[in-house]
Amino acid sequence: MTSADRSFPPVRTLIAVADARYGGSMDTQYIPKNVESKWQNNWQETQAFRVSEDSDKPKYYLLEMFPYPSGRIHMGHVRNYAIGDVVARFKRMQGFNVLHPMGWDAFGMPAENAAIEHGTHPAKWTYENIASMRTQLKRIGLSYDWEREFATCDADYYRWEQLIFLKMLEKGLAYKKGSSVNWCEDCQTVLANEQVEDGCCWRCHNEVEPKQLEQWFFKITDYADELLDWADKLSGWPERVLAMQRNWIGKSYGCEIEFPIVNRDDKIKVFTTRPDTLFGATFMSLAPEHPLAAGLVSDERKAEVDAFIAEVARQDKVDRTSGELEKKGVFTGSYAVNPVNGEEIPIFLANFVLMDYGTGAVMAVPAHDQRDFEFARKYELPIRIVIQPAGDALVGSELEEAYTGPGLLVNSSQFDGVENEAAKEQIAEFLDQRGEGRKTINYRLRDWGVSRQRYWGTPIPVVYCDSCGIVPVPEADLPVLLPTDVELTGEGGSPLARHEEFMRVACPKCGQQARRESDTFDTFVESSWYFARYACPAYTGGPLDREAANYWLPVDQYIGGIEHAVMHLLYARFYTKVLRDLGMLDVDEPFTNLLTQGMVCKETQRCREHGWLYPEEVVDGCCTHCSKPVELGRTEKMSKSKKNVIDPNQLIDQFGADTARLFSLFAAPPEKDLEWNEQGVEGCSRFLGRIWRAVADNIELISGAEIPTEVDGEAADLKRKIHQTIKKVTEDVDGRFHFNTAIAAVMELVNAIYSFKSASENPGVMREALETVVRLLNPFVPHICEELWAQLGHEQSVEVAGWPGWDEEALIADSVTLVIQVNGKVRGKISLAVDAAREAIEAAALKEPNVQRFITDKQVRKIIVVPGRLINIVVS
RNA sequence: GCGAGAGUGGCGGAAUUGGUAGACGCGCUAGAUUUAGGAUCUAGUGUCCCGUGGCGUGGGGGUUCGAGUCCCCCCUCUCGCACCA
């Protein structure tokens, strides 16, 4: 790739303009406050970041995960949006038509809780928070197209979500069923499986309990295979996110086998991935909640079994699935028949069998499954070897642990001697022919439960009629508006259910009095398609203007936190495929590239008497309340509870947005955790002051200077450094997101500017150096760069000037320093002409006095010359 | 247990294909300037005896002229999943 295609604008004419605007002088002191408000106003007035589809430039859609409008931005937001803004500004300077929108994930519980606590209406609370956060975001100087902003609680947004739901209902992708769901008593609502972490609510960490309820579900399981297959094609995603999603989908190949129950006209279905071990099944284990469990219990065993069921029910889900739990069970008194050998095996209930995986029933093969093995030993059940590893002869009674490796089948009648992998197929085939089983694929993934028993969300647009049953709200009647006059007390279930006027509705089908659905959607539904709506936020003809959506989508780069690896990112992928299949969109996947940024961390500080302390409560290592020395704690994610937080607003007041951005980008690469450090912030502030002074000190000197193409001596070195820096920064930013090293490279260039002694003889090169610094840093610290660019005499925004290209010619040095090694150890350095012949290089290296010391009296066996780098003299 | 990633100065972090380990910043030391400064500038700063030099990227082995980087074994840490049948 060559460069220099974007040459610097003719300097003299622009200087005249600059003189007119600035009178040829500039403040010697950098005052961020003045600079930043000036340029923020300028961007707003000129609508600098507005985009539309009608452009000759290639499109680039950059998106950061939109925030929940809590009312205050935190450092995590600053980091996330600073990273995004670098990419947006960089791509724009590179000549892309960049869509960079922002909006609000505005439905959700905090608004409702605020209403319950303080009596403010969720809508008022939310929109006021949005207004305040918008102001805060604008202070960071982010280059959003604010014209596209929307909040998901806008009826103009959620009405289309309701329409998509109706279409999903038509296609059978949305359905209602009664089942055991995850109930969070604290949040007074149901949660999807993805939203339960270690048995606790992802939001409030309260323990989740099972509850039998009728709920709406989205058929994400229909897309399990596609979601899984595409996980292999998303090369722009971090491997760990894909791994988490694959894991969550949990596809496993196996066999469903039916075991008739002795003396009953019923069968128990089990799922197994090991049909090859079927002849080794010596008992069966059922989940205590299994629907057949109660019916299987003989009278004399009833008391014992009931006690066991009650005991398991008392255990919470965390313990139940911990793996540490002792395997326990109880015999039901009933027997099942192994379909392949007619053997009658006892049926147990076991605490480790989960109702929500597979069929809730397991054929137990103790010889070849560790859990069954432990269970069998405890209850003295037979252990029968059916797979023998090569060169070994296992004996069931002598086994110390289950054998799960490969081998040949034994004790398996007609399958004896078959290799076990092949036997999986053969036994499945055998069962299938006899109608006793079939090959199946089992998924861990469950359908997405989307009903929420809360007020502040999108109303689910259906009506319940005594005669007609579930009736969808006709499209023409959308939106089903969320009523504003509700009473929020936090008690007595969903507030909507108590709202008579909302609930009472005529059945759209028969006209009889009916009632509305009082549940609202999970707020993850809104965030599953907002990125598509940004393509056409004002479109009134449907959820998506297909043309606009197809122009912008997919999102080229998505940036956000890892905490959404499974929830939001899986739902958004699912929704994209649904929208595609509904004919609203033509893309398969929403996000081509994903960057998951690390957390913002800070050291914690604690006073023995006053507990955790905010940074401002500590002066000279002592607590401001009691003057006792403060204990330093671990570096942890910034959180209010540990008080190790930095308020972005205060930070910007003190140092300016550019410094806040610069530190967020410089202190660590984006995907790693960032450790906040006050002195590091000061260092960044100092660096900006250094650039400002470099321009101010030279502004008169370089006024009117042309950028030369041919220079020599020290000026040639500086010119080479300029172009090396352009190359380095371009390569670091473009696709690699190595912002920290890109900034370091510019710092080196600034250091070179300070060391440049012959500026007065070479004002043109000085100009080139300063202008390059400004252009390269613009994506990182745009306010100061816009200001300096104007001070340097340019009329238009530095973004218009574009991203600088490098000149390959300027990279070439006349001479090059080569390291001389003897046996791989550095013994000297020589400077030689770039085009020096190999013989000359070798000769020069051997002549070096210090090299001589290490090779005299030795035999030179070999000389390795790595052009431009080093010479290694091998001696013995 | 499975999966992903990491281990480099006092600290945050560099080293893109095997080629000068420690770029850049913080901190620290000294000097200059200043009424003073937590401002600015200059120089130094992995470690070991002063220096020529020796040692040094979690530990041990290997490949190579040459290894932070490649291969084998081991240790530690972080994150995710986990009685998944």
Side-chain angles (χ1 to χ4, degrees):
Chain A
M1 172 174 168
T2 60
S3 56
D5 45 341
R6 284 197 199 92
S7 59
F8 288 82
V11 166
R12 205 160 282 148
T13 51
L14 287 168
I15 285 299
V17 175
D19 285 348
R21 287 170 79 199
Y22 295 99
S25 67
M26 72 181 271
D27 288 340
T28 48
Q29 213 195 337
Y30 165 51
I31 302 165
K33 208 168 272 184
N34 301 344
V35 173
E36 293 180 359
S37 58
K38 172 183 166 185
W39 288 99
Q40 282 162 18
N41 290 337
N42 175 289
W43 295 328
Q44 185 146 348
E45 281 158 21
T46 58
Q47 297 193 309
F49 310 115
R50 235 180 130 168
V51 281
S52 58
E53 295 94 87
D54 51 0
S55 167
D56 300 331
K57 301 173 184 171
K59 76 96 181 179
Y60 191 87
Y61 185 178
L62 174 84
L63 185 67
E64 300 114 48
M65 290 180 186
F66 67 166
Y68 178 80
S70 61
R72 295 191 78 77
I73 56 164
H74 52 68
M75 287 313 307
H77 291 125
V78 174
R79 187 179 192 200
N80 189 182
Y81 303 145
I83 291 166
D85 206 45
V86 173
V87 181
R89 289 179 185 269
F90 172 72
K91 285 287 170 186
R92 225 179 276 120
M93 286 178 85
Q94 271 195 327
F96 285 87
N97 190 29
V98 176
L99 173 58
H100 188 209
M102 179 44 69
W104 312 96
D105 189 11
F107 271 137
M109 296 222 342
E112 228 171 307
N113 292 340
I116 293 161
E117 278 171 44
H118 310 297
T120 34
H121 192 276
K124 184 175 174 331
W125 186 86
T126 302
Y127 282 107
E128 280 175 5
N129 280 351
I130 287 174
S132 139
M133 280 180 80
R134 187 190 299 117
T135 307
Q136 293 174 56
L137 283 187
K138 286 192 175 178
R139 285 191 73 200
I140 308 173
L142 304 165
S143 63
Y144 295 125
D145 178 358
W146 284 105
E147 294 289 311
R148 291 171 187 263
E149 176 192 359
F150 61 79
T152 55
C153 62
D154 297 339
D156 282 345
Y157 181 78
Y158 71 70
R159 68 170 297 171
W160 299 119
E161 187 166 301
Q162 292 174 336
L163 182 82
I164 295 167
F165 171 79
L166 294 180
K167 301 287 184 198
M168 289 173 75
L169 201 56
E170 268 172 42
K171 285 201 88 173
L173 289 170
Y175 66 95
K176 196 170 192 193
K177 74 166 179 196
S179 66
S180 176
V181 290
N182 312 298
W183 176 263
C184 174
E185 185 60 30
D186 228 35
C187 297
Q188 282 287 305
T189 190
V190 160
L191 298 169
N193 290 356
E194 290 77 15
Q195 294 155 25
V196 180
E197 297 169 344
D198 289 330
C200 296
C201 171
W202 74 288
R203 280 198 55 256
C204 70
H205 301 103
N206 187 41
E207 202 173 287
V208 163
E209 45 195 273
K211 197 166 181 173
Q212 205 63 31
L213 279 175
E214 285 255 317
Q215 298 282 287
W216 285 99
F217 288 87
F218 285 167
K219 235 171 182 312
I220 192 170
T221 51
D222 270 12
Y223 289 85
D225 270 319
E226 204 197 326
L227 289 166
L228 192 62
D229 291 346
W230 271 95
D232 294 333
K233 300 181 222 167
L234 291 172
S235 56
W237 281 43
E239 191 47 49
R240 61 183 183 138
V241 174
L242 295 171
M244 281 191 234
Q245 294 211 349
R246 284 191 198 104
N247 206 320
W248 187 259
I249 294 166
K251 183 178 187 173
S252 58
Y253 297 89
C255 202
E256 211 172 68
I257 306 172
E258 285 162 11
F259 285 66
I261 304 168
V262 174
N263 294 330
R264 278 182 62 142
D265 190 21
D266 214 343
K267 289 172 173 176
I268 297 175
K269 234 186 231 179
V270 303
F271 172 77
T272 179
T273 54
R274 296 294 305 273
D276 53 323
T277 64
L278 179 53
F279 286 85
T282 53
F283 60 100
M284 182 178 277
S285 307
L286 261 57
E289 312 91 319
H290 196 284
L292 288 174
L296 293 171
V297 185
S298 57
D299 290 341
E300 68 269 24
R301 304 207 54 79
K302 192 165 188 324
E304 199 186 326
V305 172
D306 285 351
F308 177 74
I309 293 176
E311 186 196 324
V312 175
R314 248 183 285 118
Q315 271 164 347
D316 53 63
K317 208 172 171 174
V318 188
D319 291 344
R320 178 86 187 275
T321 55
S322 73
E324 310 290 292
L325 185 73
E326 193 196 354
K327 285 158 193 54
K328 274 188 176 175
V330 66
F331 177 47
T332 59
S334 295
Y335 291 84
V337 183
N338 187 337
V340 283
N341 57 12
E343 206 172 350
E344 296 190 358
I345 55 174
I347 303 172
F348 280 73
L349 303 188
N351 61 351
F352 65 89
V353 181
L354 308 172
M355 194 56 226
D356 51 12
Y357 184 80
T359 61
V362 184
M363 66 174 209
V365 185
H368 306 291
D369 180 285
Q370 187 57 28
R371 293 155 303 178
D372 297 340
F373 178 80
E374 287 169 32
F375 195 88
R377 275 286 149 84
K378 186 174 168 93
Y379 295 101
E380 295 177 339
L381 294 157
I383 295 168
R384 185 191 306 146
I385 306 286
V386 289
I387 292 174
Q388 283 291 7
D392 212 341
L394 302 176
V395 178
S397 56
E398 291 165 13
L399 223 51
E400 278 172 19
E401 58 178 12
Y403 174 72
T404 55
L408 301 180
L409 266 64
V410 293
N411 297 322
S412 298
S413 151
Q414 71 267 42
F415 300 100
D416 280 356
V418 180
E419 194 272 320
N420 79 298
E421 281 303 319
K424 283 182 183 175
E425 285 293 318
Q426 291 178 22
I427 291 178
E429 180 66 19
F430 176 76
L431 289 167
D432 197 10
Q433 275 170 15
R434 310 211 319 181
E436 289 163 337
R438 60 214 57 85
K439 272 171 46 176
T440 52
I441 292 166
N442 191 59
Y443 297 91
R444 209 176 82 108
L445 181 70
R446 292 281 161 255
D447 278 340
W448 175 14
V450 293
S451 299
R452 295 293 178 271
Q453 292 68 43
R454 302 295 306 203
Y455 163 69
W456 192 233
T458 302
I460 300 175
V462 294
V463 166
Y464 299 100
C465 170
D466 287 341
S467 325
C468 313
I470 297 174
V471 184
V473 172
E475 283 181 31
D477 295 349
L478 295 183
V480 175
L481 284 173
L482 192 61
T484 49
D485 53 337
V486 288
E487 212 185 319
L488 296 165
T489 59
E491 278 154 31
S494 167
L496 282 182
R498 294 194 309 267
H499 193 287
E500 271 306 307
E501 216 177 306
F502 174 78
M503 290 302 286
R504 211 180 308 128
V505 64
C507 169
K509 232 185 217 170
C510 69
Q512 277 182 37
Q513 174 146 328
R515 65 203 155 77
R516 283 194 192 278
E517 169 66 81
S518 62
D519 283 354
T520 51
F521 282 130
D522 180 2
T523 56
F524 277 103
V525 179
E526 284 90 65
S527 54
S528 293
W529 70 287
Y530 79 107
F531 48 88
R533 184 70 184 174
Y534 278 139
C536 47
Y539 186 62
T540 53
L544 298 176
D545 173 353
R546 201 165 156 170
E547 210 173 304
N550 284 336
Y551 173 82
W552 289 114
L553 290 167
V555 172
D556 294 279
Q557 182 68 54
Y558 197 35
I559 306 171
I562 188 84
E563 66 273 18
H564 292 296
V566 175
M567 297 187 282
H568 163 57
L569 289 167
L570 190 65
Y571 297 146
R573 292 183 60 213
F574 160 62
Y575 238 69
T576 301
K577 292 170 196 302
V578 169
L579 292 170
R580 177 199 63 197
D581 293 346
L582 292 174
M584 294 179 181
L585 196 61
D586 292 328
V587 299
D588 294 306
E589 285 285 339
F591 315 120
T592 307
N593 295 292
L594 174 69
L595 176 73
T596 48
Q597 100 262 9
M599 298 182 296
V600 180
C601 302
K602 197 181 183 312
E603 193 171 57
T604 49
Q605 294 176 304
R606 197 181 168 88
C607 169
R608 292 220 164 161
E609 207 168 311
H610 299 92
W612 301 111
L613 298 174
Y614 286 111
E616 56 270 24
E617 291 176 301
V618 180
V619 173
D620 296 329
C622 294
C623 173
T624 50
H625 307 290
C626 61
S627 305
K628 283 186 193 135
V630 161
E631 297 167 12
L632 296 182
R634 286 190 359 180
T635 296
E636 292 185 70
K637 181 185 179 174
M638 279 190 186
S639 74
K640 276 202 190 125
S641 58
K642 297 277 169 65
K643 298 193 177 179
N644 58 340
V645 287
I646 296 290
D647 174 26
N649 294 305
Q650 284 177 22
L651 181 73
I652 292 171
D653 286 342
Q654 196 182 345
F655 292 99
D658 281 336
T659 293
R661 293 170 61 126
L662 190 64
F663 180 75
S664 304
L665 297 161
F666 178 63
E671 62 280 359
K672 283 189 68 174
D673 286 352
L674 177 126
E675 195 183 321
W676 199 265
N677 173 295
E678 181 72 22
Q679 282 155 335
V681 175
E682 282 165 16
C684 286
S685 176
R686 258 198 307 266
F687 173 62
L688 294 181
R690 214 164 134 80
I691 296 168
W692 184 276
R693 282 189 304 277
V695 173
D697 292 350
N698 289 286
I699 192 99
E700 274 181 48
L701 174 73
I702 64 173
S703 163
E706 299 266 8
I707 292 166
T709 45
E710 294 278 330
V711 280
D712 50 25
E714 203 198 359
D717 293 339
L718 181 59
K719 195 172 183 73
R720 194 176 330 111
K721 186 77 187 171
I722 292 167
H723 288 264
Q724 279 170 349
T725 307
I726 297 171
K727 184 168 194 253
K728 166 86 178 147
V729 174
T730 308
E731 289 172 352
D732 276 353
V733 173
D734 207 0
R736 293 200 341 145
F737 303 132
H738 286 202
F739 304 136
N740 54 336
T741 52
I743 293 164
V746 181
M747 286 174 170
E748 282 190 61
L749 177 56
V750 171
N751 290 345
I753 288 171
Y754 271 80
S755 312
F756 189 52
K757 297 286 175 275
S758 47
S760 44
E761 297 89 69
N762 297 285
V765 175
M766 190 51 130
R767 166 172 282 272
E768 186 180 7
L770 293 168
E771 293 198 338
T772 301
V773 167
V774 170
R775 288 166 86 184
L776 293 179
L777 279 182
N778 182 61
F780 305 91
V781 284
H783 308 90
I784 189 174
C785 289
E786 289 277 24
E787 180 62 25
L788 292 177
W789 190 247
Q791 295 286 359
L792 283 162
H794 301 284
E795 230 188 350
Q796 287 184 295
S797 161
V798 62
E799 263 200 12
V800 177
W803 190 252
W806 67 89
D807 183 352
E808 287 289 347
E809 294 272 306
L811 294 177
I812 302 164
D814 301 338
S815 64
V816 48
T817 302
L818 295 177
V819 164
I820 312 167
Q821 299 180 332
V822 178
N823 285 348
K825 290 196 195 300
V826 179
R827 300 299 181 194
K829 287 174 190 178
I830 44 168
S831 186
L832 284 173
V834 182
D835 52 2
R838 193 190 157 104
E839 292 75 24
I841 295 172
E842 287 183 13
L846 291 168
K847 262 202 311 232
E848 272 292 295
N850 199 43
V851 173
Q852 282 288 323
R853 290 184 47 221
F854 288 90
I855 60 174
T856 31
D857 307 329
K858 306 245 170 69
Q859 197 192 346
V860 176
R861 306 187 74 92
K862 206 193 234 177
I863 300 179
I864 287 141
V865 178
V866 182
R869 292 201 181 263
L870 57 73
I871 302 137
N872 190 9
I873 301 163
V874 186
V875 297
S876 57

